[in-house]
């Protein structure tokens, strides 16, 4: 039995559907990330899970109990969870008091509170600030207070809403390290919302892609990243080459896709006539100055429109009638003298193409 | 003119020499208004929280009514309390008319809308995220109210000081239900309004100066509190 189970959840504000048909199961000890673009409904979903609002329809189970509408039990269930809000706020009192509140509210003894708060303060590296008014802290410090304030209660479920939004890279990695630590040290179940695909990949065991109020795909980060189920997910997870087309022939799962300015060969189960997108990872594209004969099934001539240097790599944009992005090492780019307006041949294998269906 | 000037000098003498009658009247004023203010706070802080934290039909209307009563005419409150406690009134049997007790009650009624209104508006100014944070950290309804009130403690204190200022300077209620009985219900404002006509100019002037001084103290304190 999953610790948290969300079944057919719908949320409407006025006439607008904010969440549609959400189904999620999160097991005890699992780290689950809800990723999606801004306005997708991540905060709304997390608030419903923390019982901070009533869904329009659908059910939420906590540890097997339907807690959607149980008024009496709300406090009890909520005390087994902790929620770090997207916009962290602190109470106008010392850092120590901020962190101690949850324990006081649960009637924990003073001596025990002192010990727990000190431990947590050390863990989030704020021991020196324990007497400062929390209002005087920086954004990153406030975020750490907010996380400390939540985990000091030893929740079974920790809900994190965009824990690193608006933070600089150093604070971000500090917070990520902290979250990774919590995952490691306690057997807390974590549900986090983030618009940062790579963060979800770094911290979560499993991710759910929430776009426009719908969970479009759930799975382990690697699978979602390498095999997005449809165009929207592919775009969101950062697949750079998404080429629209229609399957015109299929033979032993080798399909030919008409993309208007040519054809792409790929491996797919989809039938002839299906409207699809061909996704090609930039690192899977080979560039040459002339057509080379090889086993790769797809070759396109085009003109380089942009070269951007990314440390040891170069990101090269080519116009082959459609836009294609390739990633090569800087050294190759220099040896082949890949610059703007140069004509090149881009080659990729049929097995390097990931086919997703367009629309739903 | 010399008469007024002499009255003024004498008034200062009365204050400096801590004249027993002046001190007694000023002390009673302070006592009655502080008591009414304290009791009104004890009623209004929980009541304002109750109104703010609950949603019920007519809440908006109620808050509007409360704000309308900010400038409740003191004589109207006086009249209301008088009728309530007069011999034929519903509480006539208590024999409380013309006692300090009923003056306290009258002043409580007078400042209750101010306290309620200002505390509710202070609570409304609190970031909703503070409420959500408290709730999500496992606070019960009562605990949420306590932590939110604590966030606006200075605004609540300012409201109480405003209420005190209004209570100590009003004359209508003190006169109508207190009766200005010497040594029993005579307070600064009633003494000034009735003794002046009897020629006791220096007493009135002395009390007037004390009242202005108190008003000054209230204002300075209020400013201090509001700056926090
Ligand atoms: N109380 C509300 N009333 C009306 N609309 C709301 C309310 N709360 C949220 N919305 C709308 O619901 C949609 C989803 O909001 P939500 O905050 O859940 O998105 P999000 O995925 O968390 O976005 P972000 O990444 O920007 O935080 C938004 O379009 C928002 O305007
Ligand atoms: Mg959000």
């Amino acid at each position: 039995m999953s610790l948290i189970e969300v079944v057919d959840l719908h949320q409407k504000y006025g006439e607008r559907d904010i969440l549609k048909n959400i189904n999620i199961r999160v097991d005890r000890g699992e780290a689950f990330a809800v990723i999606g673009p801004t306005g997708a409904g991540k905060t709304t979903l997390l608030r419903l899970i923390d019982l901070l609002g009533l869904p329009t329809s659908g059910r939420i189970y906590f540890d097997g109990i339907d807690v959607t509408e149980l008024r009496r039990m709300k406090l009890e269930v909520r005390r087994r969870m902790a929620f770090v809000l997207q916009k962290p706020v602190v109470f106008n009192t010392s850092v120590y008091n901020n962190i101690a509140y949850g324990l006081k509210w649960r009637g924990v003894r003073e001596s025990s509170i002192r010990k727990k708060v000190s431990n947590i303060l050390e863990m989030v590296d704020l021991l020196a600030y324990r007497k400062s008014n929390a209002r005087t802290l920086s954004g990153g410090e406030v975020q750490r207070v907010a996380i400390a304030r939540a985990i000091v209660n030893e929740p079974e479920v920790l809900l994190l809403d965009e824990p690193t939004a608006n933070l600089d890279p150093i604070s971000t990695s500090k917070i990520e390290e902290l979250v990774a630590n919590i995952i490691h040290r306690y057997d807390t179940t974590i549900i986090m919302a983030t618009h940062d695909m790579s963060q979800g990949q770094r911290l979560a065991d499993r991710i759910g892609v929430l776009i426009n109020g719908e969970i479009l795909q759930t799975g382990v980060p690697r699978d979602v990243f390498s095999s997005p189920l449809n165009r929207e997910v592919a775009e969101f997870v950062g697949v750079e080459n998404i080429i629209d087309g229609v399957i015109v022939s299929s033979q032993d799962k080798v399909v030919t896709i008409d993309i208007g300015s040519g054809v792409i060969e790929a491996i797919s189960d989809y039938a002839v006539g299906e409207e699809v997108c061909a996704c090609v990872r930039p690192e899977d594209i080979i560039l040459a100055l002339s057509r080379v004969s090889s086993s790769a099934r797809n070759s396109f001539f085009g003109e380089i429109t942009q070269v951007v240097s990314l440390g040891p790599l170069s990101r090269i944009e080519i116009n082959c009638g459609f836009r294609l992005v390739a990633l090569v090492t800087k050294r190759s780019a220099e040896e082949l003298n890949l610059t703007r307006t140069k004509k090149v041949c881009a080659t990729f294998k049929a097995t390097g193409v990931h086919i997703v269906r367009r629309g739903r | 003119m010399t008469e007024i000037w002499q009255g003024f000098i004498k008034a200062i003498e009365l204050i400096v020499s801590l004249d027993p009658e002046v001190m007694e009247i000023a002390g009673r004023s302070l006592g009655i208004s502080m008591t009414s203010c304290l009791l009104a706070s004890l009623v209004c802080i929980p009541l304002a929280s109750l109104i703010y934290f609950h949603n019920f039909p007519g809440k908006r209307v109620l808050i509007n009514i409360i704000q309308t009563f900010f400038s409740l005419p003191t004589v109207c409150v006086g009249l209301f309390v008088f009728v309530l406690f007069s011999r034929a009134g519903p509480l006539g049997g208590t024999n409380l008319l013309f006692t300090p007790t009923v003056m306290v009650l009258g002043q409580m009624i007078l400042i209750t809308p101010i306290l309620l209104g200002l505390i509710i508006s202070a609570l409304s100014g609190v970031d909703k995220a503070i409420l959500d944070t408290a709730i999500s950290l496992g606070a019960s309804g009562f605990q949420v109210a306590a932590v939110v009130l604590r966030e606006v403690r200075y605004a609540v204190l300012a409201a109480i000081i405003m209420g005190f200022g209004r209570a100590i300077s009003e004359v209508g209620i003190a006169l109508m239900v207190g009766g200005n009985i010497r040594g029993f219900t005579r307070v600064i404002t009633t003494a000034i309004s009735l003794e002046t006509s009897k020629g006791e100019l220096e007493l009135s002037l002395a009390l007037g100066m004390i009242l202005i001084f108190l008003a000054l103290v209230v204002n300075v304190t209020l400013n201090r509190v509001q700056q926090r």
Side-chain angles (χ1 to χ4, degrees), chain A residues 220-282:
Chain A
V220 299
R222 193 165 25 84
D223 289 353
V224 176
F225 194 64
S226 62
S227 332
L229 276 182
N230 59 31
R231 190 185 172 117
E232 281 148 302
V233 177
E235 269 173 9
F236 181 72
V237 301
V239 176
E240 292 217 62
N241 298 308
I242 304 174
I243 307 145
D244 288 343
V246 181
I247 296 182
V248 288
S249 78
S250 170
Q251 205 165 42
D252 292 338
K253 292 195 180 179
V254 178
V255 295
T256 311
I257 302 156
D258 180 2
I259 58 165
S261 53
V263 292
I264 289 178
E265 283 189 26
I267 312 295
S268 167
D269 288 334
Y270 290 125
V272 173
E274 189 84 59
E275 297 194 330
V276 293
C277 309
C279 302
V280 189
R281 289 149 58 105

Side-chain angles (χ1 to χ4, degrees), chain B residues 176-204:
Chain B
M176 288 177 78
V177 304
N180 191 37
I181 302 166
R182 185 173 191 174
F184 187 47
T185 60
R186 181 169 296 178
V187 291
I188 296 179
T189 51
T190 60
I192 293 175
S193 57
L194 291 182
E195 302 314 295
T196 311
S197 51
K198 290 193 207 153
E200 300 251 18
L201 199 60
E202 54 265 36
L203 179 66
S204 295

Side-chain angles (χ1 to χ4, degrees), chain B residues 86-117:
Chain B
S86 65
R87 204 156 284 285
L91 295 173
T94 54
N95 270 328
L96 283 174
L97 199 59
F98 306 126
T99 62
T101 313
V102 84
M103 291 166 78
V104 166
L105 190 77
Q107 289 187 351
M108 277 175 70
I109 295 174
L110 178 72
I111 64 174
T112 290
I114 298 180
L115 286 184
L116 280 181

Side-chain angles (χ1 to χ4, degrees), chain A residues 27-204:
Chain A
D27 289 328
R28 198 179 278 279
E30 192 178 22
F32 184 83
V34 179
I35 63 165
T38 178
K42 303 182 294 294
T43 300
T44 308
L45 176 58
L46 255 56
R47 289 180 62 91
L48 289 177
I49 294 175
D50 197 38
L51 311 181
L52 288 177
L54 268 185
T56 310
S57 69
R59 312 238 59 95
I60 296 165
Y61 296 88
F62 184 93
D63 210 0
I65 305 162
D66 183 348
V67 290
T68 327
E69 272 158 44
L70 287 178
R71 279 191 143 250
R72 276 176 306 111
M73 281 192 49
K74 272 209 168 133
L75 182 62
E76 193 187 311
V77 172
R78 211 184 274 124
R79 282 187 174 172
R80 294 168 67 182
M81 303 193 259
F83 187 10
V84 178
L85 304 182
Q86 176 165 10
K87 181 185 149 212
V89 289
V90 288
F91 303 113
N92 189 4
T93 176
S94 68
V95 169
Y96 179 96
N97 283 341
N98 261 278
I99 297 178
Y101 263 128
L103 295 169
K104 279 185 194 150
W105 287 330
R106 284 165 175 77
V108 176
R109 268 184 307 117
E110 193 62 43
S111 57
S112 165
I113 291 180
R114 231 172 295 136
K115 215 162 58 214
K116 288 185 180 190
V117 175
S118 295
N119 283 342
I120 295 288
L121 277 170
E122 199 177 334
M123 179 170 170
V124 298
D125 197 18
L126 284 174
L127 211 48
Y129 293 92
R130 70 184 178 284
K131 288 192 180 129
S132 323
N133 186 303
R135 289 266 159 93
T136 61
L137 300 180
S138 74
E141 288 158 354
V142 164
Q143 187 60 278
R144 275 185 280 156
V145 169
I147 293 179
R149 189 169 58 185
I151 57 174
V152 78
N153 302 308
E154 291 160 25
E156 289 169 57
V157 178
L158 177 62
L159 301 160
L160 298 165
D161 195 357
E162 303 272 7
T164 62
N166 314 318
L167 295 183
D168 62 81
I170 293 181
S171 307
T172 298
S173 60
K174 249 189 183 171
I175 297 283
E176 283 188 6
E177 201 179 307
L178 182 60
V179 174
N181 240 331
I182 297 166
I183 294 174
H184 205 74
R185 228 197 272 186
Y186 307 91
D187 99 281
T188 311
T189 307
I190 291 190
I191 302 179
M192 63 183 291
T194 175
H195 62 257
D196 181 352
M197 169 68 207
S198 62
Q199 180 168 72
Q201 213 174 1
R202 280 194 296 276
L203 294 174

Side-chain angles (χ1 to χ4, degrees), chain B residues 33 37 111 159-170 211 215 218:
Chain B
S33 296
C37 196
I111 64 174
I160 295 171
I161 294 170
M162 296 265 273
F164 176 76
R166 177 110 163 103
I168 198 152
S169 59
E170 73 81 26
L211 192 57
V218 166

